[in-house]
């Protein structure tokens, strides 16, 4: 599926623009495997509207080779052969903080639930309706994929892949300096809360190395990866310019890559099962604790109010 990109200014000002029929893919060779990496705006439920979800499904159907997706993608999209277990690079503390950030207040919980319902009940995106094209409406539109990955990366507020990986490593040591990106589309407000704990660059490394292992086991030279947007350009850098980067010898990056290969070769290792348990427990705790505190506080308020009657 060849991709022809247009500058963002042209996209916004053109009166005869044709929306892409498929997701665009970043292509490269890595460790003897030919990769097609598709960046997906998956939102909370597969996309901010049902038309975008079908847009992804149609692309999966036509994608070549072994078709693999980010964790949870087989539940929301059709036609994938497997998943990439990208939870592995996320430490238990980050998994806890990820959930805690989403569930910290009743308002955040309500917004999260409302966003899930809105995604499931919305049929199409807002971009181009009544011939009005605005960047704040593009976060669920096929038009987003008419823009080159590096340009839309900058538009979404992310640094280049090398700088972003450095930031991820610095955050692991408590020395991060980057504020979370703020996507112009309001449908993505929740993402700003969790991005600091999502370990996106390290998960990109894990998924690419893990995909190599799965491709080698399946004895296939072609792999199509369906991953969240940003992972696609991260992976292209890691497989290209990143090979000569000193970051590849960083102990954190090396450990992530080694665990990915180990997991691909033997997914039932006891150490992997324990890591999965800690990840799920930390994620659950991060959601349950603030919810319980909020509910307890609400009960106390009600009791206080009743005592005044």
């Amino acid at each position: 599926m060849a991709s022809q990109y247009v500058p963002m200014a042209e996209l916004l000002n053109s009166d005869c623009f044709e929306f892409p029929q498929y997701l665009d893919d970043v292509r490269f060779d890595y460790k003897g495997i030919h990769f097609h990496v598709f960046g997906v705006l998956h939102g909370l439920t597969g996309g901010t509207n049902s038309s975008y979800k079908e847009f992804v499904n149609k692309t999966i159907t036509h994608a070549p080779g072994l078709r693999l997706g980010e964790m949870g993608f087989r539940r929301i999209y059709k036609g994938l052969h497997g998943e990439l277990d990208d939870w592995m690079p996320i430490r238990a503390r980050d998994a806890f903080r990820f959930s805690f950030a989403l569930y910290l207040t009743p308002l955040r919980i309500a917004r999260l639930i409302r966003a899930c319902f809105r995604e499931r009940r919305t049929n199409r995106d807002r971009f181009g309706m009544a011939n009005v094209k605005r960047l704040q409406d593009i976060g669920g539109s096929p038009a987003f994929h008419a823009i080159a990955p590096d340009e839309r990366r900058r538009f979404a507020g992310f640094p280049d892949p090398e700088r972003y990986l450095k930031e991820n490593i610095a955050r692991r040591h408590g020395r991060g300096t980057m504020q979370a990106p703020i996507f112009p589309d309001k449908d993505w407000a929740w993402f700003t809360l969790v991005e600091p704990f999502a370990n996106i660059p390290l998960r990109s490394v894990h998924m690419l190395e893990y995909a190599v292992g799965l491709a080698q086991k399946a004895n296939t030279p072609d792999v199509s990866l369906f991953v969240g947007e940003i992972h696609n350009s991260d992976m292209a850098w890691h497989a290209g310019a990143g090979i000569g980067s000193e970051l590849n010898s960083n102990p954190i990056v090396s450990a992530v890559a080694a665990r990915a290969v180990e997991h691909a070769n033997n997914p039932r290792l006891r150490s992997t099962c324990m890591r999965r348990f800690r990840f799920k427990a930390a994620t659950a705790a991060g959601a349950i604790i603030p919810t319980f505190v909020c509910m307890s506080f609400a009960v106390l308020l009600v009791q206080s109010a009743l005592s005044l009657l």
Side-chain angles (χ1 to χ4, degrees):
M1 281 166 275
S3 302
Q4 294 184 335
Y5 298 117
V6 299
M8 191 176 296
E10 182 179 331
L11 172 66
L12 295 175
N13 295 319
S14 175
D15 292 329
C16 55
F17 173 74
E18 292 187 11
F19 282 42
Q21 297 301 305
Y22 302 97
L23 289 167
D24 65 301
D25 59 325
V26 178
R27 302 178 188 182
F28 53 82
D29 293 315
Y30 184 63
K31 295 186 176 180
I33 309 297
H34 185 62
F35 281 93
H36 305 252
V37 185
F38 300 85
V40 182
L41 294 171
H42 56 78
L44 294 166
T45 64
T48 58
N49 58 84
S50 57
S51 293
Y52 185 84
K53 197 170 178 179
E54 286 306 311
F55 174 66
V56 177
N57 284 331
K58 185 169 71 168
T59 307
I60 293 173
T61 301
H62 290 83
L66 182 66
R67 301 190 294 269
L68 303 172
E70 200 173 303
M71 182 178 68
F73 273 24
R74 293 186 76 183
R75 179 170 42 84
I76 55 181
Y77 301 122
K78 302 173 183 177
L80 294 171
H81 299 133
E83 292 185 344
L84 297 165
D85 281 358
D86 59 299
W87 57 269
M88 288 193 69
I90 303 177
R91 300 174 300 174
R93 73 179 69 176
D94 284 334
F96 176 87
R97 295 164 75 189
F98 187 105
S99 288
F100 193 85
L102 287 176
Y103 292 88
L104 181 58
T105 67
L107 182 59
R108 288 188 182 181
I109 296 172
R111 285 176 176 171
L112 196 64
I113 294 172
R114 186 173 62 188
C116 288
F117 273 107
R118 184 172 61 242
E119 286 187 5
R120 293 183 181 278
R121 297 178 62 184
T122 303
N123 292 324
R124 59 152 295 177
D125 64 279
R126 301 182 301 273
F127 187 80
M129 291 184 67
N131 203 31
V132 176
K133 299 173 182 175
R134 307 183 305 170
L135 290 180
Q136 58 262 47
D137 296 330
I138 205 171
S141 172
F144 182 82
H145 300 279
I147 305 167
D150 288 342
E151 185 176 3
R152 61 192 194 225
R153 184 185 185 104
R154 293 191 297 271
F155 153 67
F158 288 86
D160 65 81
E162 184 174 19
R163 172 68 183 85
Y164 198 26
L165 181 55
K166 287 180 180 178
E167 178 67 19
N168 196 169
I169 294 169
R171 285 171 171 174
R172 288 281 187 121
H173 296 296
R175 298 195 296 267
T177 59
M178 192 185 92
Q179 296 293 318
I182 300 177
F183 199 67
D185 194 323
K186 63 182 178 63
D187 289 338
W188 293 84
W190 60 272
F191 181 76
T192 301
L193 300 174
V194 302
E195 184 276 333
F197 320 118
N199 290 265
I200 291 174
L202 288 175
R203 286 167 51 219
S204 299
V205 172
H206 169 88
M207 287 191 284
L208 182 59
E209 299 292 348
Y210 187 51
V212 169
L214 293 182
Q216 291 172 343
K217 286 179 68 175
N219 195 29
T220 178
D222 283 295
V223 175
S224 290
L225 302 184
F226 290 83
V227 294
E229 180 67 24
I230 304 303
H231 289 303
N232 48 346
S233 43
D234 273 354
M235 290 181 183
W237 176 84
H238 183 69
I243 292 176
S245 172
E246 62 181 15
L247 291 176
N248 268 340
S249 59
N250 181 280
I252 294 176
V253 178
S254 299
V256 166
R259 277 197 298 266
V261 174
E262 182 182 52
H263 182 46
N265 292 330
N266 189 353
R268 299 185 182 277
L269 281 173
R270 183 179 179 185
S271 59
T272 300
C273 294
M274 290 302 298
R275 287 177 64 86
R276 181 181 285 108
F277 173 79
R278 289 196 296 269
F279 171 79
K280 290 185 176 181
T283 301
I288 291 171
I289 291 175
T291 303
F292 176 78
V293 171
C294 289
M295 291 180 65
S296 299
F297 184 67
V299 169
L300 288 175
L301 285 177
V302 172
Q303 289 178 337
S304 298
L306 291 175
S307 67
L308 296 175
L309 296 178

